[in-house]
Each structure stands twice: as C-alpha cells, then as structure tokens.
C-alpha cells in the first residue's frame, strides 16, 4: 500500500476511544470510520477522532457500508462481547459477497465469551482468508516490553530462563451495564480482565522472538468470589448506577478472580504464572502490575508508580472524573497521574503494530489463534473454580462449556 491504512471501528465507546487516543502515535494508519448500533454514539466517536486529528472519520449506517467503502482497509472490532459473532458475521458476509475488500481484522479482548464462540469467530475470518490480529494492549505496554527484553537478554542469557511470572489488573468496576451482566459479557471479572493477565504471564515467560507455543499451559487452578458487590449496600448502589437489570442480589458476577497456570517450557521445565483481577479494588484508580522472576533477576511494574503526583486539599472541590487516571476513585489528596494512559497501557504500540501488519510490514505478534487459546484458559479457570480443583489443560469438552456466571446460576459463598 502506498497510502496509510484506512481503519474503521466497530464500537464507539470507552475502548474505541482509548484506541483513538493512542492513534496520535500511529503513522501507518488513519481512523476513517465508526459504526455503532447507536447512530448518535457513532457520530460522536467519529467527531472525537477528527478532534484528535487521527483521521477524517465518519459514521456509517451499517457495518456492510463501512466494509464496502474503498477508504476502509481494515476493521478494529471493539464492540460489546455479546455482539462479537454477529459483527464478525456481517464483516465476512460483506467480503464474501464482493461488497468490500479488506486487508485485515483486529479484534479486541476477549475474542469471544466462550470457546465455541471463539472458534466460530476464527473460522469465519479464516473463511475469507483475511489477516487477523488479537488486540491485547498490556503485552505491548512499554514497561512490560522493555523489562522483558532486558531480563531475557541479560539475566536469562547468563543464569537461566525465568520460572515465575505474576500479573494483576485491579479497579473499582466497569463503566457500562453490560459488563456487569454475565449473560452479555460471558462472565465476570475473570472473563473481562483475566484475558489480559493470563496472556501477560505467558508472554513474560516466553523468550522474545519465540512463539507462545514454546510455553504450553498444562494445568490450571482458578478461584472466583464476590467480595464487594453482593453486599446489600453495594448491590443497591450498583443497581442505582447501572439500572434494574444489574441486580447482584439475584444474578451476580464474580468481582475477584485468581488463577495459577502451570506451564511446560520447550526445554521440558516447569514455569508458573500467577494472576489476579478485581472489580473490588479501591485505590487511586486502575492499577496494572507485573513481575517476572528468574534464578538471579527480577522485574517489577506498577502502573501507578508514575513519577508524577498531585495534591489537592479538601478545599479543592470539583466534579468526579478520570482526568488523572482511568477508573479514578477520588479528586482530592495525594493522587498519582498517568500522563499518557494510551501509551502506558500499550494501546499506541499495539495499534501501530497491527497497522504495519496489515500493510505487510511486520508479522503479527498476536493472532486470533492466540485469542482462542486465551479463551480456553479462561474457561478452564472457570471450570476449576466451579469444581474446586486443579484441571489439566485443555480439559475435555471445553468447547461446550459455559460458566455458571454466564448462565445466571452462580451464587457466591457468603
């Protein structure tokens, strides 16, 4: 391609706009379109892209119309989980019918709500021979990437490969009602955020330049709990904020999850990945963290160790917001500030990478096959949590498994 990649977004919400923020550092692509089932939101997101000067974006009446536009070369799928299969089906049908021609599709995490849906998404995309990518921003976070590269080049090269990785993502809860509902989202915090952490630990344990398949999951132990949002006071607060359908006295989702993944390396050794995720964390705001440990070295990252802090006394009063950090919980006191979250969390780097992939300049670091593997791990973790035991990976009939949380039948222990 001689011109920049023209990218169209499916979805117009928080995630799509985070990608657009990161796009200010992308030279190989421009945001040229947005589709959303809500026309007003699509127009708003397109205007936001123009405001950021990341592309002459416009709203589209349908996904098919966006695919058919010659200015659109690739699609970023960032809509709600429950619409994933439907959205991909429309893209693929538009391509198969000759209405449009694309260079590739990039899909936001998780690839789907369960293994059956994830396999369907992958099969659909493969049926039209399109290049594909799995959008996992934390793998591209600068601190993760630089630390991993240095530890493998200096520590592992001289004293042996790393054997323990840890990752966590914690905040006070999602923005939109559908995230809180298992039937739409596919689960709770394990499905929503463990997709990040489970892949980060595997990524850290994988030697740079080698495929993830050199570090294979063999056993998974998962645990889920509702620590905060099923307490009567908070269940009532959540219902008031998100609407009557989000009733955690009747159909709760887990707000805390942990998993231990035992990996077998290509050298035949064992490595461990520990991950935890939470919607019940209270701090300044979103906190991402990671560790990597080997025989004579270690890595540690905490996204709230920003190097920039502001202090506001109780006399400084203002509206609640997220101008200091994502999922911000306070507007006074000593507050860490993440100056450029789209860069710090990896959005800029991943969007730059996949634009270059779809222009034929790089090989994809993550594909939908990797996204499918992540869903398999998540579903195994749910099985483990439900059965109260460690499960060999991959378990039988994982394709048919749907978590109790997604079925609306899960009840937490009191």
């Amino acid at each position: 391609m001689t011109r920049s990649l023209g990218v169209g977004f499916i979805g117009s919400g928080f995630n799509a706009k985070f990608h657009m923020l990161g796009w200010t550092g992308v030279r190989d692509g421009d945001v040229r379109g947005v589709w959303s089932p809500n026309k007003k939101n699509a127009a708003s997101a397109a205007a936001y892209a123009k405001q950021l000067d990341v592309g002459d974006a416009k709203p589209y009446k349908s996904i098919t119309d966006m695919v058919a536009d010659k200015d659109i070369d690739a699609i970023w799928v960032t809509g709600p989980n429950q619409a994933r299969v439907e959205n991909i089906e429309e893209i693929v049908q538009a391509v198969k019918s000759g209405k449009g021609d694309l260079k590739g599709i990039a899909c936001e995490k998780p690839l789907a709500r369960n293994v059956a849906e994830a396999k369907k998404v992958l099969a659909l995309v493969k049926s039209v021979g399109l290049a594909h990518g799995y959008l996992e921003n934390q793998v591209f976070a600068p601190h993760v990437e630089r630390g991993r590269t240095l530890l493998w080049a200096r520590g592992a090269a001289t004293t042996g490969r790393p054997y323990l990785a840890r990752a966590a993502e914690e905040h006070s809860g999602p923005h939109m009602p559908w995230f809180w509902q298992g039937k739409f989202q596919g689960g709770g915090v394990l499905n929503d955020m463990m997709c990040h952490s489970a892949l980060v630990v595997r990524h850290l344990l994988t030697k740079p330049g080698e495929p993830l398949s050199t570090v294979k999951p063999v056993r998974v132990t998962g645990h889920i709990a509702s620590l905060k949002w099923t307490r009567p006071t908070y269940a009532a607060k959540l219902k008031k904020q998100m609407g009557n359908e989000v009733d955690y006295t009747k159909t709760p989702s887990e707000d805390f999850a942990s998993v231990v993944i035992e990996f077998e390396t290509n050298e035949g050794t064992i490595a461990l990945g520990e991950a935890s995720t939470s919607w019940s964390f209270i701090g300044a705001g979103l906190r991402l963290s990671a560790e990597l440990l080997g025989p004579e070295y270690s890595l540690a990252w905490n996204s709230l160790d920003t190097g920039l802090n502001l202090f506001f006394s109780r006399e400084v009063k203002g509206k609640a917001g997220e101008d200091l950090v994502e999922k911000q919980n306070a507007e006074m006191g000593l507050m860490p500030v993440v100056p450029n979250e789209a860069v710090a969390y990896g959005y800029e780097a991943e969007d730059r990478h996949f634009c270059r992939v779809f222009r034929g300049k790089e090989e994809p670091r993550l594909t939908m096959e990797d996204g499918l593997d992540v869903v398999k791990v998540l579903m195994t973790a749910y099985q483990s949590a439900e059965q109260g035991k460690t499960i060999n990976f991959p378990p039988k009939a994982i394709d048919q498994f749907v978590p109790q949380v997604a079925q609306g039948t899960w009840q937490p222990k009191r």
Side-chain angles (χ1 to χ4, degrees), residues 340-357:
N340 192 330
E341 292 180 291
V343 172
Y345 305 155
Y347 286 94
E348 178 186 290
E350 74 169 345
D351 290 329
R352 182 168 53 242
H353 168 68
F354 283 111
C355 281
R356 291 177 62 80
V357 167

Side-chain angles (χ1 to χ4, degrees), residues 117-344:
E117 287 188 358
K119 284 190 169 184
K120 186 170 185 178
V121 166
L122 180 59
L124 283 165
V125 173
K126 283 187 170 183
S127 72
V128 286
L130 286 175
H132 48 88
Y134 177 58
L135 294 169
E136 170 43 67
N137 56 285
Q138 290 180 32
V139 163
F140 292 87
H143 291 81
V144 171
E145 279 301 82
R146 186 62 177 154
R148 171 178 177 257
T149 299
L150 287 171
L151 252 64
W152 273 93
R154 298 177 69 86
T158 55
T159 65
R161 68 169 300 121
Y163 41 64
L164 176 62
R166 298 188 178 106
E169 180 173 5
E170 305 158 289
H171 60 61
S172 56
H175 290 90
M176 299 298 289
W178 69 266
F179 277 103
W180 296 89
Q181 298 176 73
K183 64 180 179 180
F184 294 134
Q185 194 254 100
V189 72
L190 193 153
N191 201 52
D192 179 37
M193 300 204 307
M194 192 64 77
C195 49
H196 289 298
S197 304
L199 185 55
V200 168
V201 294
R202 190 179 185 185
H203 175 68
L204 288 170
L205 291 166
T206 302
K207 184 177 181 180
E210 293 189 353
L212 289 169
S213 59
T214 59
V215 181
K216 297 179 180 179
V218 292
R219 286 157 58 87
V220 176
T221 308
H223 184 83
I224 62 174
S226 178
L227 302 180
K228 176 179 179 178
W229 292 106
T230 49
R231 294 187 177 191
T233 299
Y234 289 101
K237 182 179 179 180
L238 184 61
K239 189 174 183 179
K240 183 177 179 180
Q241 289 178 335
M242 295 292 167
N244 290 333
E245 288 192 354
V246 183
D247 188 347
Y248 270 36
T249 65
K250 296 178 180 178
T251 52
S253 299
E254 78 279 1
D255 62 18
F256 176 85
S258 66
V259 65
V260 176
I261 308 169
E262 183 179 318
F263 297 99
E264 184 178 293
T265 72
N266 60 343
E267 298 102 333
T269 61
I270 291 299
L272 292 180
E274 297 179 351
S276 64
T277 52
S278 175
W279 289 344
S280 51
F281 171 76
I282 290 296
L286 169 68
R287 182 172 70 179
L288 307 178
S289 58
E291 292 183 84
L292 182 63
L293 295 90
E296 299 291 340
Y297 53 86
S298 65
L299 168 159
W301 171 54
N302 184 326
S303 64
L304 293 181
D305 293 337
T306 68
L308 175 63
N309 292 276
L310 301 181
F311 176 80
F312 299 105
S313 81
R314 63 178 62 93
E315 299 302 319
V316 179
K317 302 184 186 302
K319 294 180 179 180
E322 292 184 271
D323 50 344
L324 305 178
V325 63
E326 182 188 334
K327 307 297 191 304
Q328 190 171 312
N329 285 314
E331 280 68 45
M332 65 174 62
L334 188 63
M335 293 288 296
V337 180
V338 182
N340 192 330
E341 292 180 291
V343 172

